[in-house]
Amino acid sequence: EVQLVESGGGLVQTGGSLRLSCAVTGFTFDDFTIGWFRQAPGKEREGVSCISSSGGSTYYADSVKGRFTISKDNAKNTVYLQMNSLKPEDTAVYYCALDFGDSTIESMAWTSYWGQGTQVTVSS
């Protein structure tokens, strides 16, 4: 059974940093895409970033480009989202998701594999 477990969320002041982790367990198939999504209260879910299995292809939403960096450690089956220069509008529950093969952030929104989410709160 594929499981995704996020960690690293918390409360941080504007301009601060957090690093989210998404640990993937339950499978050994190595051709997949991992993405990060977020959802703030009263807002639609937003695709933030994704990374291919090789790590050679990444995507960032315009709202986080230049501030967030996605990376992966294949040995640990873990994907990270380094978030710098955080803003109050980054406040949301952050979820990681997995899709097999090469995928896009738009396609990943339909995947069945999601983590439980981790809260990120940025105070002004």
Side-chain angles (χ1 to χ4, degrees), residues 47-91:
V48 174
S49 181
C50 65
I51 187 167
S52 63
S53 57
S54 68
S57 177
T58 58
Y59 161 86
Y60 297 96
D62 287 342
S63 56
V64 305
K65 204 170 290 183
R67 300 187 298 121
F68 290 11
T69 303
I70 193 168
S71 62
K72 64 196 307 283
D73 184 334
N74 286 335
K76 296 182 178 180
N77 254 18
T78 299
V79 172
Y80 303 99
L81 186 68
Q82 178 67 44
M83 307 186 297
N84 298 329
S85 302
L86 283 162
K87 306 175 182 179
E89 50 263 45
D90 294 318
T91 295

Side-chain angles (χ1 to χ4, degrees), residues 1-5 23-28 77 98 100 112-114:
E1 179 185 4
V2 176
Q3 288 190 321
L4 294 83
V5 179
V24 182
T25 61
F27 84 115
T28 57
N77 254 18
L98 179 149
F100 294 108
S112 298
Y113 303 105
W114 294 86

Side-chain angles (χ1 to χ4, degrees), residues 11 14-15 19 25 44 54 64 77 84 88 99 104-106 116:
L11 173 64
T14 296
R19 188 178 78 157
T25 61
E44 292 188 356
S54 68
V64 305
N77 254 18
N84 298 329
D99 203 5
T104 64
I105 200 72
E106 292 83 7
Q116 82 286 355

